[in-house]
Amino acid sequence: MSNAQRVTRAVEAYYDSKDAHAFYLHIWGGEDIHIGLYESATDTIADASRRTVAAMADRIVTPLDETHTVLDIGSGFGGAARYLAKRFACHVVCLNISEVENERNRATNRERGVGHLISVRHGDFEHIPAEDASFDFVWSQDAILHSADRERVIAEVSRVLKPGGEFLFTDPLQADDIPPNALRAVYDRIHLDSLASAEFYRATAMRHGFAEISIQLSPHHLLSHYGAVQAQLKARYREMIDVASREYVDRMLVGLRNWVEAAEIGYLDWGILHFQKRRAARTASTDPIS
């Protein structure tokens, strides 16, 4: 078994576990399990996380409608997919490695009346089960960090995306020129040897046929988010050890503290990255995307 396969299995087992499911459902936000955009100290995790989804959707260059199909890789509980389906009436395919999360996603889609617009598939984003050039848009939030082969993920996205299609995603990042092993405690919690940097994603996207639309780095939102999650877990400690193991909750508190400390030092970054797949031939010499 390759290292990438071992990492994939570890991630799948983690997110399928009762402990992780309880934590992300009750503490991290439930609907959206990614980093939020914080406007004030009173923002809830759920509100800040939904603000990220809306802000990303506002960045879409080519308007989505009922004729378009979006692929959400690492879709979690499906909050972003439901937002996009409701806002744009587009079709969304959720690809996610946790079948426990997928089952909740499907049930919520039915309850919200959007099951006809969203399909949920079990799988990983290093082997996307789709034909070449079969999606108009690819979306992802704080998921690609879990891959041990992020270049393959970008290559797969390029393969399944139509020419001219957009790739919009967020991911926790490591800052440039950090000391060796400075993030070892952060890496160990998520079974990885590294995080990507913004420059890695920029260079990798270029190699796989993308043009950059924008990269907005906002590390303060990562710090705010992990601080908020840490505070919420501490405040609801007794409640959480009734639905998750005490060992898991205690270990999570240590892990969150490591993320907060690394972010305070400036070793971590986070941002919204937006690329567009180049067309086969330029339509005009002044067109930076075609």
Side-chain angles (χ1 to χ4, degrees):
M1 183 187 300
S2 69
N3 180 59
Q5 290 172 319
R6 282 192 293 270
V7 170
T8 297
R9 290 194 177 182
V11 171
E12 182 173 18
Y14 172 74
Y15 281 102
D16 276 345
S17 71
K18 176 184 175 183
D19 287 341
H21 185 73
F23 169 70
Y24 288 100
L25 181 63
H26 297 292
I27 299 295
W28 201 282
E31 183 84 0
D32 302 301
I33 50 176
H34 50 254
I35 290 168
L37 299 181
Y38 290 79
E39 295 181 346
S40 73
T42 61
D43 283 344
T44 67
I45 295 169
D47 287 346
S49 299
R50 179 43 53 101
R51 190 176 292 124
T52 306
V53 177
M56 290 174 65
D58 288 343
R59 292 170 177 261
I60 296 172
V61 174
T62 303
L64 298 173
D65 58 32
E66 66 278 3
T67 67
H68 296 105
T69 303
V70 176
L71 173 65
D72 182 355
I73 56 173
S75 50
F77 293 130
R82 286 185 288 278
Y83 178 91
L84 294 172
K86 289 181 179 179
R87 178 169 171 176
F88 300 113
C90 58
H91 296 264
V92 184
V93 174
C94 293
L95 180 66
N96 195 54
I97 197 161
S98 169
E99 192 58 28
V100 172
E101 291 179 345
N102 291 342
E103 289 174 0
R104 179 171 289 276
N105 187 357
R106 295 184 187 104
T108 306
N109 294 340
R110 290 192 295 269
E111 293 168 4
R112 305 280 180 84
V114 292
H116 62 295
L117 291 175
I118 302 172
S119 62
V120 182
R121 301 178 186 173
H122 178 263
D124 69 81
F125 38 43
E126 292 160 5
H127 309 87
I128 298 175
E131 298 294 327
D132 295 357
S134 54
F135 291 99
D136 301 287
F137 195 99
V138 178
W139 174 287
S140 183
Q141 289 183 266
D142 302 343
I144 303 174
L145 78 157
H146 291 297
S147 174
D149 191 353
R150 300 182 190 104
E151 175 139 12
R152 183 181 176 104
V153 176
I154 303 303
E156 279 288 272
V157 170
S158 179
R159 180 183 67 81
V160 302
L161 191 60
K162 295 176 182 178
E166 298 171 47
F167 179 29
L168 180 61
F169 69 102
T170 63
D171 214 34
L173 308 165
Q174 65 183 46
D176 294 326
D177 302 321
I178 61 173
N181 295 317
L183 291 176
R184 175 49 52 195
V186 169
Y187 300 154
D188 287 347
R189 190 185 76 80
I190 51 178
H191 309 288
L192 294 177
D193 295 323
S194 69
L195 292 172
S197 66
E199 186 51 43
F200 167 85
Y201 280 129
R202 174 183 281 118
T204 304
M206 296 304 105
R207 282 197 300 275
H208 291 282
F210 288 98
E212 181 181 328
I213 295 177
S214 65
I215 294 178
Q216 179 183 346
L217 299 179
S218 305
H220 59 286
H221 288 304
L222 181 145
L223 176 58
S224 295
H225 190 86
Y226 275 89
V229 172
Q230 180 187 43
Q232 186 72 198
L233 186 56
K234 285 181 178 179
R236 299 173 61 186
Y237 181 85
R238 295 199 175 276
E239 172 192 341
M240 286 304 298
I241 61 175
D242 286 337
V243 295
S245 69
R246 184 187 294 268
E247 179 185 12
Y248 175 88
V249 174
D250 289 343
R251 189 169 62 248
M252 180 58 71
L253 284 171
V254 173
L256 291 168
R257 184 190 66 207
N258 291 334
W259 277 76
V260 168
E261 290 177 351
E264 288 175 335
I265 296 170
Y267 290 166
L268 292 174
D269 209 338
W270 177 85
I272 301 174
L273 301 91
H274 195 182
F275 298 95
Q276 190 166 22
K277 185 176 177 180
R278 292 185 182 276
R279 302 182 190 277
R282 293 182 179 274
T283 56
S285 61
T286 56
D287 182 0
I289 299 300
S290 320

